[in-house]
Amino acid sequence: TLRILEIISRNKTGVSFTEIQKELELPKSSLFSLLKELLSNDYLSFNEITKKYSAGISFIKLCTSGIENTDLITELNLLTSNLTQEINQTSHAGILDNTNIIYLAKAENNTNLSLMKNVGLKIPAHCTAIGKMLLSQFSLQELENLYYNYNFEKYTEYSISSLTDLIKEIEKIKKNEYALELRETNVLAGCISLPIEHNGKMIAAFSVTFPAYLIETTDINPILMT
């Protein structure tokens, strides 16, 4: 049952019975019974036109409740709130999920330039400051394995479009100890990110979003000191 929910959570356009069965290698009768139970309890919904299953309202409520009631989320909300109040720019915090970033906290200013409109949204890690910061903890071999045959989605003309360019960016981040994203998801904006560590391991990262021209024309060292 949990594996089914994991599959559903990875496919935002829905997934068919055949696709689920192929991945789980379950007998049709067993899978049908599990899906029927999940549907009856609103953990799944079924589109009669596309013949695909997707997240139901009970599953969404469960995920939201889990996010809102963890100590990490509480701390990240406090962090982003304080940052936005002090710097007067939108701030975010998130974690790495394979090649994506899941945003877990956000605090906005009045001129919000962020594409991340809702907590829980996923965005490709390679074109975000938080994502690149979290990827910087990996070795070259780990990055090559993670991005093997990966299709680098471009949000703008400035987005990273190859593993070679991503590795160069990661090397720069390891040297500078901060990550920078400039016009890669929004041509009007840029982000600066720093890591959040626990017991010597990077578990999350946070960023502040600025108008792109400010990052291009301003000394960012005072921002990093803040």
Side-chain angles (χ1 to χ4, degrees), residues 49-60:
I49 298 175
T50 63
K51 304 298 181 184
K52 288 187 175 184
Y53 297 88
S54 57
I57 188 64
S58 293
F59 186 29
I60 294 170

Side-chain angles (χ1 to χ4, degrees), residues 132-150:
K132 290 188 285 187
M133 186 73 252
L134 290 168
L135 289 171
S136 70
Q137 66 188 299
F138 296 146
S139 67
L140 175 60
Q141 186 62 59
E142 288 172 327
L143 286 172
E144 289 177 343
N145 292 340
L146 184 63
Y147 282 94
Y148 179 72
N149 280 341
Y150 180 80

